[in-house]
Amino acid sequence: MKNYKIDLRSDTMTIPTKDMLDCMISAKVGDDVWEEDETVKKLEKLIAKSFQHESALFCPSGTMTNQIAIRVHTKLGDELICDKLSHIYNYEAGGISSNSGVSTKLIDGHYGRIDRDMIDSSINVDDVHFPRTKLVCLENTVNKGGGTCYDIERIKEISKLCKQKKLGLHLDGARIFNAIVAKSHQPSDYGKLFDSISVCLSKGLGAPIGSLLIGSHDFINESRRVRKSFGGGMRQAGYLAAAGIYALSNNVKRLKKDHDKAQFIGECLSNLKYVKNIRPVETNIVLFDLEDSHLEKFKRIMFEKNIQYSFMAKNSVRFVTHLNFSESDLEKLIKVLKSLN
Ligand SMILES: *Cc1c(COP(=O)(O)O)cnc(C)c1O
């Protein structure tokens, strides 16, 4: 029991399986800065095709794909619109301003989701006093909102508005496959609504490294240049891309298992006295607040049982389910959570 550990801090904590590693070892590689890595090209084509966009670019991280997209969509001094819970605003080290010299108009949405009218009223009028509004960024699922998904009809309204107002529309789709599985959609349903999409392979899909930026030929050509300037041009990156190809082929449908486990945890928590509040569980994230009186006990017992999780605020706990969190881990977790009541 001593070495037993449950890690619910993030779905980035997964370790590549033997099958994934086998694919990586046997990848055909070349220098990708010279555009000679067959496996990287294969991955980029695969994802572009599934989202029905023209092109894609393999990058080391989702922060980089988001930051490249912001740079390509904007000019120095422009403004972008996003929800106040957005990853691009909260967790990318201030890159919107330091990488692109762009200001941010924050919207107080609904668990991280914003709608057409909120955006419409946040667009600056054409007047020298104001920064030019250039870009709208959505996040789906919303990490800080508790893994919430957009209703695709709301995205259609936003997409239409952005076309009318000539604004770029970017999706931080670090967990877009969680939304796709939860809503029984196809990647192409989302592809046609956005000018650019960032997808992480290293979250629920279980690859060790990698994100993809998806967009038109012109957009991706420009992004390739920005990637180089950000230091993200990689050489024999096909070893990593092979993990991504494996993940897209094998680890998408199984996300449902992570969602079911999260749902089960959510139901259990909602019956416990020491849980003050729990966000609706829609995908693989469970976000809840503890009663003050139970905070210390919760921390102590979870530490003793070697169950790791993260705090999003003082009393606000996040569990993220993933492919290394098994059925027996779930049973053990539920037992511990109930024992705390
Ligand atoms: C993880 C994450 C990213 C990108 O993170 P990296 O760690 O840089 O790959 C972007 N957006 C959201 C919502 C995320 O959860």
Side-chain angles (χ1 to χ4, degrees):
M1 218 29 202
K2 203 64 202 133
N3 289 325
Y4 193 82
K5 183 175 114 175
I6 293 176
D7 194 342
L8 291 166
R9 286 172 299 168
S10 174
D11 45 8
T12 57
M13 298 296 169
T14 55
I15 303 295
T17 56
K18 175 153 191 323
D19 289 349
M20 182 181 275
L21 288 169
D22 286 344
C23 283
M24 294 170 73
I25 285 172
S26 53
K28 289 209 177 78
V29 299
D31 188 326
D32 183 53
V33 173
W34 290 48
E35 298 184 41
E36 287 177 8
D37 190 301
E38 282 178 42
T39 311
V40 170
K41 284 191 200 171
K42 188 174 162 194
L43 170 64
E44 291 172 341
K45 282 209 179 93
L46 181 75
I47 197 93
K49 187 162 178 253
S50 78
F51 280 82
Q52 282 176 25
H53 252 293
E54 288 172 355
S55 194
L57 185 70
F58 185 51
C59 291
S61 72
T63 299
M64 190 180 282
T65 45
N66 282 332
Q67 292 297 321
I68 290 173
I70 292 165
R71 169 70 80 83
V72 175
H73 280 295
T74 59
K75 280 208 196 76
L76 190 67
D78 288 343
E79 187 161 271
L80 67 76
I81 296 172
C82 66
D83 186 273
K84 68 171 191 190
L85 300 183
S86 302
H87 192 281
I88 57 163
Y89 176 74
N90 289 287
Y91 298 122
E92 300 190 3
I96 297 171
S97 58
S98 61
N99 292 323
S100 300
V102 163
S103 61
T104 307
K105 180 99 80 178
L106 294 177
I107 296 181
D108 191 3
H110 186 60
Y111 297 121
R113 290 161 302 200
I114 56 181
D115 64 32
R116 184 214 172 274
D117 292 347
M118 293 171 180
I119 294 167
D120 197 21
S121 59
S122 303
I123 299 170
N124 291 333
V125 296
D126 187 7
D127 174 309
V128 291
H129 290 87
F130 306 124
R132 283 198 181 98
T133 306
K134 269 288 178 55
L135 177 65
V136 175
C137 296
L138 308 185
E139 187 173 314
N140 199 20
T141 69
V142 188
N143 172 24
K144 223 172 150 57
T148 41
C149 302
Y150 269 88
D151 177 342
I152 201 158
E153 295 306 317
R154 301 288 86 75
I155 301 181
K156 285 179 189 165
E157 293 163 5
I158 294 170
S159 180
K160 200 170 151 197
L161 175 74
C162 289
K163 283 203 176 78
Q164 279 166 3
K165 303 280 180 179
K166 298 198 163 44
L167 304 179
L169 182 58
H170 173 71
L171 174 64
D172 176 355
R175 294 190 180 81
I176 189 60
F177 281 103
N178 293 89
I180 287 169
V181 167
K183 298 275 190 189
S184 304
H185 287 152
Q186 296 299 322
S188 55
D189 297 331
Y190 293 87
K192 57 181 173 244
L193 300 175
F194 292 92
D195 299 304
S196 57
I197 299 179
S198 160
V199 176
C200 284
L201 302 167
S202 56
K203 298 276 164 83
L205 298 183
I209 296 174
S211 287
L212 289 147
L213 182 58
I214 303 164
S216 67
H217 282 310
D218 288 349
F219 183 87
I220 294 299
N221 280 341
E222 196 53 32
S223 296
R224 191 179 297 281
R225 185 174 292 260
V226 174
R227 183 184 69 176
K228 194 73 183 84
S229 81
F230 284 179
M234 298 184 285
R235 303 298 176 174
Q236 285 72 30
Y239 292 119
L240 303 174
I245 293 170
Y246 179 90
L248 289 170
S249 319
N250 296 281
N251 291 347
V252 173
K253 280 203 192 108
R254 64 153 306 288
L255 290 171
K256 175 148 192 338
K257 295 185 191 172
D258 300 341
H259 298 176
D260 290 346
K261 289 193 184 94
Q263 192 74 44
F264 193 76
I265 297 168
E267 277 160 26
C268 164
L269 288 171
S270 62
N271 292 317
L272 298 173
K273 284 198 297 274
Y274 63 89
V275 177
K276 189 157 61 181
N277 167 302
I278 173 163
R279 309 300 178 282
V281 179
E282 298 187 22
T283 52
N284 69 327
I285 298 178
V286 186
L287 201 57
F288 59 99
D289 299 325
L290 296 167
E291 293 288 356
D292 286 335
S293 54
H294 265 71
L295 184 60
E296 290 312 315
K297 186 179 174 194
F298 184 88
K299 283 190 196 169
R300 180 169 49 80
I301 302 291
M302 294 292 266
F303 179 77
E304 281 170 12
K305 301 290 181 188
N306 220 356
I307 300 173
Q308 294 179 289
Y309 55 92
S310 51
F311 276 106
M312 301 297 272
K314 185 172 167 279
N315 283 16
S316 178
V317 173
R318 186 185 76 163
F319 291 158
V320 189
T321 59
H322 53 71
L323 83 178
N324 288 158
F325 176 69
S326 66
E327 285 293 338
S328 66
D329 291 342
L330 177 64
E331 272 173 42
K332 283 178 183 117
L333 173 74
I334 297 291
K335 222 177 261 170
V336 173
L337 292 175
K338 284 184 174 162
S339 77
L340 279 162
N341 213 26

